[in-house]
Amino acid sequence: MKKLFYLFLSILIFVSCSDSGGEDPIDPPIEPPVENDRPKNMEEYNATSDGLRDYYFEDGYFDIGVAISPQSLDKPDEVALIKRHMNSLTAENAMKWSSIEPTEGNFNWSDADKIVDFAVANDLKVRGHTLCWHQQVPDWIFEDNGVEASKELVLERLKSHIAAVVGRYKGKIYAWDVVNEAIDDGGGYRNSKWYSICGEDYIFEAFNAAREADPDAKLFYNDYNATEPQKRYSIEKLLEDLISRQLVDGMGLQGHWNLDGPYLSRIRDAFDGYAALGVELQITELDINTGSATEYTSTIESKQKSAYGRYFQEFRDYKDEITSVTFWGLTDDHSWLNQPGKPNFPLLFDKNYDPKGPYFDVIDF
Ligand code: 9MR
């Protein structure tokens, strides 16, 4: 009996070790690129007017977008770069609650309008970002004459804000990040003001209000670290619930990634998991953090080339599921990661509006 027990135990150990289901220790080698006629260097880049949108959107992969501020549209160099490379725009901050409705019922539309009008005039799509978040959200929503507002009042304010914003851009904004970052890294609901006052109901009310205001808009749940298993399982549960009420169309994976991670196996599992639910996938805020290095050295450049190269290879492999990839900023110097005294180099274009090394990896396929 004892022998049998040990035999059973060793079989169990063998099986569990050989199918660890864990992450790859290192990412698998990248296939050597097939010869193509896309630019390989600055000289070839300057000799063509084609850009990312030609290689990805027009070739049947996915939209290529960028998050911008309205001030970008006053700068001819930035406008030229946007028109050459992008077919989709996101307002980096201009559509957030504190920008649009800083005090109750008083709407500032000018910055958001400027971006939408530019997009319409130049035949670019717009992703709306974001209707309900725990940041950039004014205090008045949660207050009522000096005390905490009731759940009913908060939900009323949420619904009327969403009706106004989505209603204004109906037919012009094709997709909305309705709720942003409602799940925390441990997989529970984020303990925001929204949650502490309304419980999870605010999520459903937000989606419902967006659906009512523009039934044709695609509605997304959007989050960071969406490839991390614990968080992913909770997001999947939330999506299932939203799907059963026909309130969601897509999952937005922000994509604030690093030179070394997430591992491709994690990304693949996440794409498979979300796509299996029947929603479309978008990478909504892509950038690759270069860490604490104060200069863009050749070592950092080569790591970033390989990171961008392998992530985009992965996106192409999932072209049937992924409908859009948006960069969180146009040039390194305007990235949220680039802080005074703490430079970062997360994007594909440098401060002179020139493509960096990784650009050529992204288009080399
Ligand atoms: O890039 C945005 C930065 O300019 C703002 O100061 C910040 C406010 O918290 O939000 C940044 O954008 C965030 C996005 O809206 C949601 N996902 C995380 C992004 C980076 O913080």
Side-chain angles (χ1 to χ4, degrees):
M1 194 62 199
K2 211 172 182 186
K3 263 190 193 161
L4 254 178
F5 170 74
Y6 281 115
L7 182 68
F8 176 66
L9 197 68
S10 21
I11 292 173
L12 203 70
I13 290 170
F14 175 73
V15 169
S16 61
C17 289
S18 56
D19 181 22
S20 66
E23 57 203 36
D24 297 338
I26 46 164
D27 286 322
I30 305 164
E31 294 286 312
V34 201
E35 245 345 274
N36 59 58
D37 57 3
R38 301 195 189 99
K40 305 264 181 296
N41 51 47
M42 274 310 289
E43 200 187 332
E44 292 175 13
Y45 175 82
N46 286 330
T48 167
S49 57
D50 285 353
L52 294 168
R53 53 176 287 164
D54 301 285
Y55 310 129
Y56 279 93
F57 167 63
E58 274 145 39
D59 274 4
Y61 284 90
F62 31 74
D63 292 330
I64 296 286
V66 64
I68 58 162
S69 72
Q71 290 76 31
S72 285
L73 302 176
D74 300 328
K75 298 175 192 150
D77 287 333
E78 293 195 28
V79 169
L81 210 55
I82 291 168
K83 287 188 184 170
R84 174 167 175 175
H85 293 285
M86 312 296 169
N87 71 312
S88 173
L89 293 181
T90 303
E92 183 176 3
N93 291 302
M95 292 182 191
K96 290 172 181 171
W97 196 316
S98 56
S99 310
I100 288 233
E101 194 188 4
T103 56
E104 189 161 19
N106 298 313
F107 291 88
N108 284 335
W109 299 114
S110 55
D111 283 352
D113 280 359
K114 188 169 171 178
I115 291 174
V116 173
D117 291 347
F118 175 86
V120 170
N122 291 283
D123 207 14
L124 307 174
K125 296 181 182 173
V126 185
R127 299 193 78 262
H129 175 88
T130 172
L131 297 169
C132 179
W133 192 26
H134 62 284
Q135 283 187 35
Q136 284 172 296
V137 67
D139 291 339
W140 63 259
I141 302 169
F142 309 107
E143 288 167 3
D144 184 15
N145 287 318
V147 294
E148 187 168 274
S150 66
K151 174 175 174 178
E152 289 66 34
L153 182 58
V154 171
L155 291 181
E156 220 25 73
R157 287 169 168 166
L158 176 67
K159 287 191 268 185
S160 76
H161 176 82
I162 292 180
V165 179
V166 176
R168 182 174 182 89
Y169 299 115
K170 188 169 186 240
K172 294 181 177 167
I173 292 191
Y174 84 100
W176 274 102
D177 291 332
V178 179
V179 174
N180 196 39
E181 304 173 7
I183 307 287
D184 66 26
D185 285 338
Y189 282 115
R190 179 182 298 283
N191 195 16
S192 62
K193 279 271 180 199
W194 292 115
Y195 186 70
S196 68
I197 298 178
C198 307
E200 62 191 295
D201 288 353
Y202 82 90
I203 302 175
F204 301 98
E205 293 289 352
F207 275 92
N208 207 29
R211 193 60 107 209
E212 273 179 15
D214 185 355
D216 294 329
K218 291 190 170 183
L219 306 185
F220 280 74
Y221 174 75
N222 191 48
D223 217 326
Y224 66 90
N225 283 351
T227 54
E228 295 310 294
Q230 222 175 342
K231 189 160 178 175
R232 170 160 73 85
Y233 301 142
S234 301
I235 295 176
E236 285 175 1
K237 272 206 207 104
L238 174 60
L239 287 173
E240 278 171 20
D241 202 344
L242 287 163
I243 289 166
S244 72
R245 306 175 199 214
Q246 299 185 321
L247 287 178
V248 74
D249 306 294
M251 172 62 200
L253 296 97
Q254 292 185 1
H256 294 294
W257 290 346
N258 297 302
L259 295 172
D260 306 313
Y263 290 121
L264 292 187
S265 55
R266 283 269 163 98
I267 297 177
R268 240 175 267 139
D269 287 350
F271 287 170
D272 288 339
Y274 295 126
L277 302 175
V279 289
E280 65 184 82
L281 309 182
Q282 297 196 343
I283 310 299
T284 53
E285 306 183 17
L286 183 64
D287 47 26
I288 299 183
N289 193 321
T290 48
S292 55
T294 50
E295 274 177 54
Y296 194 58
T297 60
S298 56
T299 313
I300 303 271
E301 184 191 34
S302 85
K303 282 189 176 178
Q304 198 180 39
K305 279 164 68 66
S306 108
Y308 263 115
R310 64 179 187 271
Y311 294 145
F312 267 83
Q313 170 70 61
E314 204 58 25
F315 301 159
R316 291 191 297 275
D317 288 349
Y318 280 82
K319 76 183 178 75
D320 293 339
E321 288 78 22
I322 294 178
T323 51
S324 175
V325 175
T326 288
F327 292 92
W328 206 243
L330 191 58
T331 58
D332 280 346
D333 55 328
H334 283 144
S335 161
W336 70 293
L337 291 169
N338 198 329
Q339 303 286 338
K342 281 192 188 167
N344 209 300
F345 311 90
L347 298 163
L348 290 189
F349 299 96
D350 66 19
K351 62 178 187 324
N352 302 317
Y353 311 104
D354 286 333
K356 294 157 55 189
Y359 172 83
F360 298 99
D361 298 83
V362 165
I363 63 170
D364 190 5
F365 61 94

